[in-house]
Amino acid sequence: AQSVTQLDSQVPVFEEAPVELRCNYSSSVSVYLFWYVQYPNQGLQLLLKYLSGSTLVESINGFEAEFNKSQTSFHLRKPSVHISDTAEYFCAVYAGGSEKLVFGKGTKLTVNP
Amino acid sequence: NAGVTQTPKFQVLKTGQSMTLQCAQDMNHEYMSWYRQDPGMGLRLIHYSVGAGITDQGEVPNGYNVSRSTTEDFPLRLLSAAPSQTSVYFCASRRVYEQYFGPGTRLTVT
């Protein structure tokens, strides 16, 4: 069965600093990978996804993630964060043939002025 | 489109009471699911459905029932609420691999 590990439960950074949120997965079959964002007291929104093709995927608000099959990772990065990026970020994976989307435990990103 | 809607937004129950959390979607998605979110635990799948009349258990199904009589609706029933069911519940529907979430129901069981 697939599983997802988010290596940091909390990440505090200063505004305009770069950030990396780490995600590793385990699966013996092909996978589809996602990052979701949850702003305070809201539901989850899809931030970006990897289904196939280019291993580097980008979101409209400056985040990017790279699928690394050899390291089974899908880390999320942003070169310069804003206060408005403060949220909880969840990595998730579908394994081929499974109907279930499995989530990591989340990383709380806090951007300080 | 309203997307995925959930009612109520907040609910307080006493131990042993029953209730139904409502979920509806207007995107004609076949796949729907229920998750619970607890601090430090991420989202855990309770039940899911791949179409009307078809449901299956997820990771944490005990204490919850579901049914899917229409494509649009996927209610979650708590038959006898327990304090361990205090959580935030999210309903979701899926198109291909993209999952859309409702705004959530915050449930407290005392």
Side-chain angles (χ1 to χ4, degrees):
Chain A
Q2 65 268 32
S3 66
V4 178
T5 302
Q6 291 185 243
L7 295 161
D8 306 294
S9 59
Q10 299 190 51
V11 174
V13 295
F14 288 109
E15 194 173 18
E16 298 184 4
V19 70
E20 178 180 78
L21 307 184
R22 297 178 292 169
C23 172
N24 287 92
Y25 67 91
S26 66
S27 175
S28 59
V29 297
S30 60
V31 295
Y32 306 106
L33 296 155
F34 305 83
W35 277 98
Y36 283 83
V37 58
Q38 184 179 33
Y39 298 104
N41 299 312
Q42 295 188 24
L44 277 77
Q45 304 171 32
L46 180 65
L47 186 61
L48 46 76
K49 61 188 176 188
Y50 170 78
L51 302 180
S52 64
S54 172
T55 57
L56 184 65
V57 291
E58 298 178 354
S59 72
I60 59 173
N61 59 351
F63 283 94
E64 64 178 30
E66 186 162 19
F67 169 53
N68 188 319
K69 187 175 181 179
S70 63
Q71 297 188 5
T72 60
S73 68
F74 191 54
H75 301 331
L76 181 69
R77 302 183 182 96
K78 190 171 185 179
S80 176
V81 294
H82 303 286
I83 298 284
S84 59
D85 292 324
T86 293
E88 190 159 17
Y89 293 79
F90 293 92
C91 184
V93 61
Y94 280 119
S98 169
E99 292 292 346
K100 302 173 187 176
L101 183 62
V102 177
F103 284 85
K105 294 186 177 181
T107 298
K108 287 188 178 177
L109 174 65
T110 302
V111 181
N112 298 302
Chain B
N1 286 349
V4 180
T5 58
Q6 292 183 239
T7 56
K9 289 188 176 181
F10 302 95
Q11 183 70 49
V12 179
L13 291 179
K14 295 186 186 301
T15 297
Q17 287 184 319
S18 63
M19 80 159 295
T20 299
L21 307 185
Q22 301 292 344
C23 173
Q25 52 95 6
D26 61 359
M27 298 174 281
N28 202 33
H29 292 165
E30 293 294 327
Y31 183 92
M32 296 185 73
S33 53
W34 276 101
Y35 292 86
R36 59 177 290 173
Q37 183 180 24
D38 302 291
M41 300 294 291
L43 277 80
R44 293 181 291 171
L45 182 65
I46 304 171
H47 285 285
Y48 65 98
S49 168
V50 298
I54 307 169
T55 63
D56 205 348
Q57 296 181 351
E59 182 184 356
V60 287
N62 293 341
Y64 308 96
N65 279 356
V66 292
S67 59
R68 184 94 178 271
S69 56
T70 67
T71 298
E72 293 79 20
D73 300 301
F74 190 43
L76 179 72
R77 297 184 188 84
L78 284 71
L79 299 179
S80 179
S84 61
Q85 294 179 306
T86 293
S87 187
V88 180
Y89 291 85
F90 288 101
C91 178
S93 71
R94 193 179 93 194
R95 177 184 66 85
V96 192
Y97 297 109
E98 186 162 340
Q99 194 140 263
Y100 297 83
F101 286 85
T105 295
R106 186 174 295 273
L107 176 67
T108 302
V109 183
T110 61

